[in-house]
Amino acid sequence: MNDGAPAHPDGHGHVDVAKVTLSEEIVDRASVASTDVAEYATWLGDDALILAQQLGWWISRAPELEEDIALGNIALDLIGHARSFLHYAGTATGRSEDDLAYFRDEHEFRSVHLVEQPNGDFAHTIVRQLLMSLYLFELYRELAGSADATLAAVAGKAEKEVDYHRDHASQWILRLALGTEESRERLLVALSDLWPYVEELFRDEPLHDVLAGIAVRPSGLREAFDRVLTDLFAEAELARPRTPTTSGGGRRGQHSEYLGYLLTEMQVLARRHPGATW
Amino acid sequence: MNSAELTLPATDDAQERYFQELIDRDSRIEPRDWMPAEYRTSLIRQISQHGHSEIIGMQPEANWITRAPSLKRKAILMAKVQDEAGHGLYLYSAAQTLGISRDEMAEQLIAGKARYSSIFNYPALTWADMGAIGWLVDGAAICNQVPLCRASYGPYARAMVRICKEESFHQRQGFEILLELSQGTAAQKEMAQDAVNRWYWPSLMMFGPPDDESPNSAQSMAWKIKRFSNDDLRQRFVDMVVPQAEVLGLTLPDPELAWNEDRGHYDMGEIDWAEFHEVLAGRGPCNAQRMQRRRDAHEDGRWVREAAAAYAEKQAAASLKAAS
Ligand SMILES: [Fe+2]
Ligand SMILES: [Fe+2]
């Protein structure tokens, strides 16, 4: 019988504000990143930050209360990852996570175009989340074995959380694909809209060579990513979209038009009060 | 196990006497116990309104999630607004045990037929409002809700226990935001004072009309749904926040606030009830906006909920077929 205290809807556990602290791995170690490692940590941090910023919009607007909570949980996890990576990146130049998040301009960000794509309808948000979660899961799993102890520690913790994110997104892909005609139609649109941004995730950059043993070479993650996706698409009776690849360039600071607006909103208050603490 | 299962009173009269006995003994009424129809309706009204307030209450703070000025504050704010969604869920579940469905409650809310706390019809204009809302609005909610942890209806009381635990974090983070601002730059301190000026009086109105004009209070108190009067709770709140404001280095916008040695409480000025009634009547600054946002989320999400329901049905049919 229902006693008025529901089990948590998605089994992810409830987060309360007292638990929001910077990952201890980072705080305890106080290690300083080299310039190259800092650059790499910025890539990781920016992807997580931009995606968290996007998901934050949904809280109070989701299709049902359970999703307000689930998307909020995912956003919280991502912002935790972003803080850890950006904090570490900042140690190279004496900057804080907030200096990096709030006082860099658009061209100084290193996020991929996929996370910059707008929330769209729920199908777009879920497809973006699925693609990123599958990619991040493979990435963090490898990075957990990095020769850089800090990156390895953050990735090890993040891997478990991202595993939940990909499960959440996969469940929704099935529901939307096999639910109603409308949901399937919307899902197909979202898939073809976002598919062009997948390629960029797996593109190797010169920095990956420089950081051999520390950074994860993304091209090597593609096979595992494809395998998981193929299984999911088979279950969801979906075909892989055929839309062409875009040029990307996020890792070199070349972004979509969307990022400027996102940063403007995110940074406005912090920039109005430079030097203030909050 | 509840006591109604031990004895089974036969007639309505006997049941009513037994119900009153449970109330008088401070026992809990559980969903399967007999209860007077008015007790049930009044609980459904109170619990669902409370749930709606949690849901609408997400909006003023959600307004600042994307602009939070530090990553730590952004994370705390997200967690806080998300907690409120959880509170809404607990409360809706408690109301469901009385025989109303979640769909019905959602429809009542978006149709404008159900009330929610008027406090959320005020706008959150600056970052400092995140502090003032946490400190004053969640603070007032705590004063209102702690006694509800002992409400006579079991599921409601248990939901309130969980909620109150989280609300105290909410209040603390609000207080911390204001403390940080009031110890910050001149502009930050000004922002904090402005927010407190705007939220103080509305937070006092959260306790409802004065006792002599509160139509539902007497019966609720007899049934031990409510345990303290509106004015008592309001006094308790004022006594709590006055010293906290001093710690913050901020003033409260009531020139008549003064410690009364004889009463052992703070005296306060007259509340502008005309404003309260305006907001209550739907003419507050954000009533229409809040309702529109809820309707939009509900309508935009309809196809998603339909897809989930259709999928669940297909899955159930498939597993039934597999079993046969
Ligand atoms: Fe709440
Ligand atoms: Fe709260």
Side-chain angles (χ1 to χ4, degrees), chain B residues 44-54 114-117:
Chain B
I44 289 179
R45 194 189 61 233
Q46 180 171 339
I47 301 173
S48 63
Q49 282 179 9
H50 192 163
H52 299 328
S53 302
E54 302 283 354
R115 287 196 188 285
Y116 56 87
S117 179

Side-chain angles (χ1 to χ4, degrees), chain B residues 24-37:
Chain B
D24 295 341
R25 269 197 275 136
D26 266 339
S27 281
R28 288 270 163 81
I29 307 299
E30 295 298 336
R32 279 181 295 179
D33 292 342
W34 183 91
M35 59 187 88

Side-chain angles (χ1 to χ4, degrees), chain B residues 140-156:
Chain B
I142 291 170
C143 289
N144 264 331
Q145 290 172 7
V146 165
L148 293 175
C149 296
R150 295 193 295 126
S152 57
Y153 187 58
Y156 190 30

